[in-house]
Amino acid sequence: MTLGIIGAMVEEITPLLECFENHIKYDVGGNTYYEVTFGNHRIFIAYSKIGKVHAALSASVMILKFGCEQIIFSGVAGALSADLKVGDLVLGTKLCQYDVDISAFGHALGFIPESKLYMESSPILNKIAKDTAKAQGIMLKEGIIASGDCFIANSEKKQWIMEHFDAIAVEMEGAAVAVVCDSCKIPFCILRSISDSADGSADVSFDEFLESSAKRSADFVVNMCKQILQ
Protein backbone atom coordinates (compact mmCIF):
# COMPACT_ATOMS: atom_id res chain seq x y z
CA MET A 1 0.00 0.00 0.00
CA THR A 2 1.16 3.53 -0.75
CA LEU A 3 -0.50 6.14 1.43
CA GLY A 4 -0.38 9.92 1.14
CA ILE A 5 -0.72 12.35 4.04
CA ILE A 6 -1.06 16.08 3.40
CA GLY A 7 -1.08 19.09 5.68
CA ALA A 8 -1.32 22.72 4.59
CA MET A 9 1.42 24.12 6.82
CA VAL A 10 4.75 22.93 8.13
CA GLU A 11 3.28 22.87 11.64
CA GLU A 12 0.75 20.29 10.45
CA ILE A 13 3.29 17.74 9.19
CA THR A 14 6.15 18.31 11.64
CA PRO A 15 4.58 15.96 14.25
CA LEU A 16 4.22 13.31 11.52
CA LEU A 17 7.86 13.56 10.46
CA GLU A 18 8.87 13.32 14.11
CA CYS A 19 6.97 10.03 14.37
CA PHE A 20 8.53 8.64 11.17
CA GLU A 21 12.18 9.52 11.75
CA ASN A 22 13.90 8.31 8.56
CA HIS A 23 12.69 9.70 5.27
CA ILE A 24 13.71 10.37 1.67
CA LYS A 25 13.05 13.82 0.23
CA TYR A 26 11.77 14.57 -3.27
CA ASP A 27 11.36 18.05 -4.74
CA VAL A 28 8.50 18.19 -7.25
CA GLY A 29 6.61 21.21 -8.56
CA GLY A 30 8.10 23.61 -6.06
CA ASN A 31 7.30 21.44 -3.06
CA THR A 32 8.99 18.77 -0.95
CA TYR A 33 7.60 15.28 -0.48
CA TYR A 34 8.88 12.97 2.24
CA GLU A 35 8.83 9.21 1.73
CA VAL A 36 8.89 6.99 4.79
CA THR A 37 8.71 3.23 5.12
CA PHE A 38 6.12 1.63 7.37
CA GLY A 39 6.61 -2.14 7.38
CA ASN A 40 6.13 -3.22 3.78
CA HIS A 41 4.27 -0.03 2.93
CA ARG A 42 5.22 3.46 1.82
CA ILE A 43 3.89 6.74 3.15
CA PHE A 44 4.37 10.07 1.40
CA ILE A 45 4.03 13.19 3.55
CA ALA A 46 3.91 16.81 2.39
CA TYR A 47 2.64 20.20 3.40
CA SER A 48 0.97 21.67 0.38
CA LYS A 49 1.11 25.32 1.40
CA ILE A 50 -2.08 27.18 2.14
CA GLY A 51 -5.02 27.30 -0.25
CA LYS A 52 -6.99 25.18 -2.68
CA VAL A 53 -4.60 25.44 -5.65
CA HIS A 54 -1.57 24.26 -3.67
CA ALA A 55 -3.59 21.49 -2.02
CA ALA A 56 -4.84 20.26 -5.40
CA LEU A 57 -1.30 20.28 -6.81
CA SER A 58 0.07 18.27 -3.89
CA ALA A 59 -2.73 15.72 -4.05
CA SER A 60 -2.22 15.35 -7.80
CA VAL A 61 1.52 14.79 -7.42
CA MET A 62 0.96 12.21 -4.70
CA ILE A 63 -1.49 10.27 -6.84
CA LEU A 64 -0.09 10.68 -10.35
CA LYS A 65 3.66 10.63 -9.60
CA PHE A 66 4.05 8.65 -6.39
CA GLY A 67 1.11 6.30 -6.87
CA CYS A 68 -0.66 6.98 -3.58
CA GLU A 69 -3.70 4.73 -3.30
CA GLN A 70 -5.35 6.60 -0.43
CA ILE A 71 -5.05 10.18 0.80
CA ILE A 72 -5.49 11.57 4.31
CA PHE A 73 -5.51 15.31 4.96
CA SER A 74 -4.52 16.27 8.49
CA GLY A 75 -4.69 19.80 9.79
CA VAL A 76 -6.65 22.47 11.56
CA ALA A 77 -9.95 24.21 10.85
CA GLY A 78 -12.17 26.95 12.17
CA ALA A 79 -15.41 26.04 13.89
CA LEU A 80 -18.73 27.08 12.40
CA SER A 81 -20.93 25.12 14.76
CA ALA A 82 -21.17 26.44 18.31
CA ASP A 83 -20.89 22.81 19.44
CA LEU A 84 -17.24 22.69 18.36
CA LYS A 85 -14.48 23.80 20.70
CA VAL A 86 -10.75 24.29 20.27
CA GLY A 87 -9.03 20.89 20.11
CA ASP A 88 -12.12 18.98 18.94
CA LEU A 89 -11.44 16.50 16.12
CA VAL A 90 -13.70 16.73 13.08
CA LEU A 91 -14.15 14.13 10.36
CA GLY A 92 -15.30 15.60 7.05
CA THR A 93 -18.06 13.34 5.73
CA LYS A 94 -18.56 15.72 2.80
CA LEU A 95 -16.51 18.59 1.42
CA CYS A 96 -17.68 21.65 -0.51
CA GLN A 97 -16.29 24.90 -1.90
CA TYR A 98 -18.08 27.86 -0.39
CA ASP A 99 -16.31 30.39 -2.64
CA VAL A 100 -17.49 28.95 -5.98
CA ASP A 101 -20.33 31.06 -7.33
CA ILE A 102 -21.79 30.70 -10.82
CA SER A 103 -25.31 31.20 -9.55
CA ALA A 104 -25.79 33.79 -12.32
CA PHE A 105 -26.22 30.78 -14.62
CA GLY A 106 -28.80 29.14 -12.37
CA HIS A 107 -26.43 26.83 -10.52
CA ALA A 108 -26.35 26.32 -6.77
CA LEU A 109 -23.62 28.03 -4.77
CA GLY A 110 -20.53 25.81 -4.70
CA PHE A 111 -21.53 23.79 -7.77
CA ILE A 112 -19.36 23.40 -10.89
CA PRO A 113 -20.85 21.77 -14.03
CA GLU A 114 -19.61 18.21 -14.63
CA SER A 115 -18.55 18.10 -10.99
CA LYS A 116 -20.39 17.91 -7.68
CA LEU A 117 -21.54 20.29 -5.00
CA TYR A 118 -20.45 17.89 -2.24
CA MET A 119 -17.57 15.43 -2.44
CA GLU A 120 -18.10 12.44 -0.18
CA SER A 121 -15.11 11.06 1.68
CA SER A 122 -14.34 7.34 1.91
CA PRO A 123 -16.74 5.39 4.17
CA ILE A 124 -13.99 2.81 4.75
CA LEU A 125 -11.39 5.37 5.85
CA ASN A 126 -14.01 7.20 7.88
CA LYS A 127 -14.86 3.96 9.71
CA ILE A 128 -11.18 3.45 10.49
CA ALA A 129 -11.09 7.00 11.85
CA LYS A 130 -14.14 6.34 14.02
CA ASP A 131 -12.72 3.02 15.24
CA THR A 132 -9.44 4.75 16.07
CA ALA A 133 -11.30 7.43 18.02
CA LYS A 134 -13.34 4.85 19.91
CA ALA A 135 -10.23 2.87 20.85
CA GLN A 136 -8.62 6.01 22.26
CA GLY A 137 -11.72 7.30 23.98
CA ILE A 138 -11.76 10.38 21.75
CA MET A 139 -14.95 12.13 20.71
CA LEU A 140 -14.79 12.42 16.91
CA LYS A 141 -17.36 14.78 15.48
CA GLU A 142 -18.62 14.37 11.91
CA GLY A 143 -20.09 16.73 9.38
CA ILE A 144 -19.66 18.83 6.27
CA ILE A 145 -16.46 20.85 5.96
CA ALA A 146 -16.43 23.90 3.68
CA SER A 147 -13.28 25.10 1.92
CA GLY A 148 -12.37 28.42 0.33
CA ASP A 149 -9.39 30.65 -0.36
CA CYS A 150 -9.97 32.99 2.55
CA PHE A 151 -9.22 32.77 6.26
CA ILE A 152 -12.60 33.30 7.88
CA ALA A 153 -12.42 35.37 11.07
CA ASN A 154 -15.74 37.17 10.63
CA SER A 155 -18.67 35.72 12.55
CA GLU A 156 -21.21 36.93 9.95
CA LYS A 157 -19.34 35.15 7.16
CA LYS A 158 -19.13 32.01 9.26
CA GLN A 159 -22.88 32.12 9.76
CA TRP A 160 -23.41 32.58 6.00
CA ILE A 161 -21.30 29.50 5.18
CA MET A 162 -23.08 27.43 7.80
CA GLU A 163 -26.51 28.45 6.54
CA HIS A 164 -25.79 27.92 2.82
CA PHE A 165 -23.78 24.71 3.04
CA ASP A 166 -24.85 23.15 6.35
CA ALA A 167 -21.15 22.99 7.22
CA ILE A 168 -19.80 22.63 10.75
CA ALA A 169 -16.19 23.72 10.05
CA VAL A 170 -14.30 25.83 7.54
CA GLU A 171 -10.76 25.70 6.14
CA MET A 172 -8.79 26.36 2.93
CA GLU A 173 -7.79 23.01 1.37
CA GLY A 174 -9.98 19.99 2.06
CA ALA A 175 -12.44 20.33 -0.81
CA ALA A 176 -9.61 20.77 -3.33
CA VAL A 177 -8.04 17.49 -2.20
CA ALA A 178 -11.50 15.93 -2.34
CA VAL A 179 -12.05 17.06 -5.95
CA VAL A 180 -8.71 15.60 -7.06
CA CYS A 181 -9.27 12.32 -5.25
CA ASP A 182 -12.83 12.01 -6.53
CA SER A 183 -11.69 12.65 -10.10
CA CYS A 184 -8.90 10.06 -9.80
CA LYS A 185 -11.09 7.53 -7.95
CA ILE A 186 -8.84 7.60 -4.89
CA PRO A 187 -10.33 7.11 -1.40
CA PHE A 188 -9.72 10.08 0.88
CA CYS A 189 -10.29 11.19 4.44
CA ILE A 190 -10.26 14.76 5.76
CA LEU A 191 -9.46 15.09 9.45
CA ARG A 192 -9.32 18.46 11.15
CA SER A 193 -8.61 19.65 14.66
CA ILE A 194 -10.42 22.83 15.64
CA SER A 195 -7.97 25.70 16.15
CA ASP A 196 -10.40 28.59 16.50
CA SER A 197 -13.95 28.86 17.75
CA ALA A 198 -17.13 30.17 16.19
CA ASP A 199 -17.26 33.21 18.48
CA GLY A 200 -15.48 35.67 16.19
CA SER A 201 -12.06 35.43 17.86
CA ALA A 202 -10.45 33.36 15.10
CA ASP A 203 -7.51 35.70 14.56
CA VAL A 204 -6.57 35.40 18.22
CA SER A 205 -7.13 31.72 18.96
CA PHE A 206 -5.66 30.42 15.68
CA ASP A 207 -2.12 31.54 16.50
CA GLU A 208 -2.46 30.42 20.09
CA PHE A 209 -3.70 26.91 19.38
CA LEU A 210 -2.25 26.09 15.93
CA GLU A 211 0.60 23.85 17.05
CA SER A 212 -1.31 21.98 19.74
CA SER A 213 -4.33 21.41 17.46
CA ALA A 214 -2.11 20.33 14.57
CA LYS A 215 -0.27 17.84 16.80
CA ARG A 216 -3.56 16.43 18.04
CA SER A 217 -4.70 15.81 14.48
CA ALA A 218 -1.33 14.38 13.42
CA ASP A 219 -1.15 11.99 16.37
CA PHE A 220 -4.59 10.73 15.48
CA VAL A 221 -3.54 10.18 11.83
CA VAL A 222 -0.52 8.15 12.92
CA ASN A 223 -2.83 5.80 14.77
CA MET A 224 -5.07 5.64 11.72
CA CYS A 225 -2.07 4.65 9.60
CA LYS A 226 -1.37 1.76 11.93
CA GLN A 227 -4.91 0.49 11.33
CA ILE A 228 -4.82 1.05 7.57
CA LEU A 229 -1.41 -0.52 7.02
CA GLN A 230 -1.45 -3.32 9.59
Side-chain angles (χ1 to χ4, degrees):
M1 169 72 74
T2 302
L3 179 66
I5 304 174
I6 305 173
M9 296 174 285
V10 65
E11 291 90 347
E12 293 174 329
I13 70 162
T14 296
L16 293 170
L17 294 177
E18 290 172 349
C19 288
F20 304 111
E21 296 179 356
N22 299 315
H23 52 259
I24 303 170
K25 293 172 62 176
Y26 303 91
D27 292 319
V28 181
N31 207 357
T32 302
Y33 297 81
Y34 302 87
E35 179 186 356
V36 301
T37 300
F38 189 89
N40 296 322
H41 308 282
R42 296 189 303 163
I43 302 175
F44 286 88
I45 302 170
Y47 72 94
S48 59
K49 297 188 282 289
I50 293 170
K52 292 193 297 179
V53 172
H54 288 119
L57 175 60
S58 293
S60 298
V61 168
M62 283 192 164
I63 295 167
L64 301 176
K65 179 173 178 61
F66 296 120
C68 290
E69 301 164 75
Q70 298 180 351
I71 298 287
I72 298 174
F73 196 103
S74 170
V76 299
L80 296 178
S81 169
D83 294 334
L84 293 176
K85 307 301 180 186
V86 170
D88 283 350
L89 288 175
V90 177
L91 182 65
T93 54
K94 296 180 182 178
L95 287 297
C96 63
Q97 301 181 73
Y98 70 79
D99 58 351
V100 169
D101 184 355
I102 52 172
S103 57
F105 299 99
H107 297 295
L109 289 172
F111 178 76
I112 295 175
E114 299 183 40
S115 185
K116 303 170 184 175
L117 174 55
Y118 294 101
M119 301 288 169
E120 296 187 13
S121 52
S122 166
I124 294 174
L125 290 177
N126 288 349
K127 183 179 185 306
I128 291 173
K130 287 184 278 190
D131 289 345
T132 300
K134 184 176 180 180
Q136 296 181 47
I138 293 174
M139 177 68 72
L140 183 62
K141 301 187 178 182
E142 305 174 54
I144 296 169
I145 296 177
S147 305
D149 282 317
C150 182
F151 180 78
I152 305 298
N154 179 280
S155 58
E156 288 78 16
K157 184 65 174 181
K158 286 190 172 188
Q159 185 66 29
W160 181 89
I161 295 170
M162 186 166 57
E163 289 177 356
H164 281 82
F165 297 96
D166 199 28
I168 65 170
V170 62
E171 34 88 314
M172 300 178 66
E173 299 84 22
V177 172
V179 168
V180 171
C181 290
D182 185 76
S183 297
C184 295
K185 310 302 181 188
I186 297 295
F188 69 92
C189 178
I190 307 295
L191 183 73
R192 295 287 191 167
S193 180
I194 296 300
S195 61
D196 53 271
S197 64
D199 60 5
S201 60
D203 55 337
V204 177
S205 59
F206 179 82
D207 288 336
E208 183 178 354
F209 295 106
L210 170 59
E211 289 191 17
S212 61
S213 293
K215 187 176 189 308
R216 181 171 171 79
S217 181
D219 289 346
F220 188 87
V221 169
V222 169
N223 284 310
M224 275 190 70
C225 289
K226 293 176 181 178
Q227 296 297 317
I228 295 168
L229 302 176
Q230 65 180 356

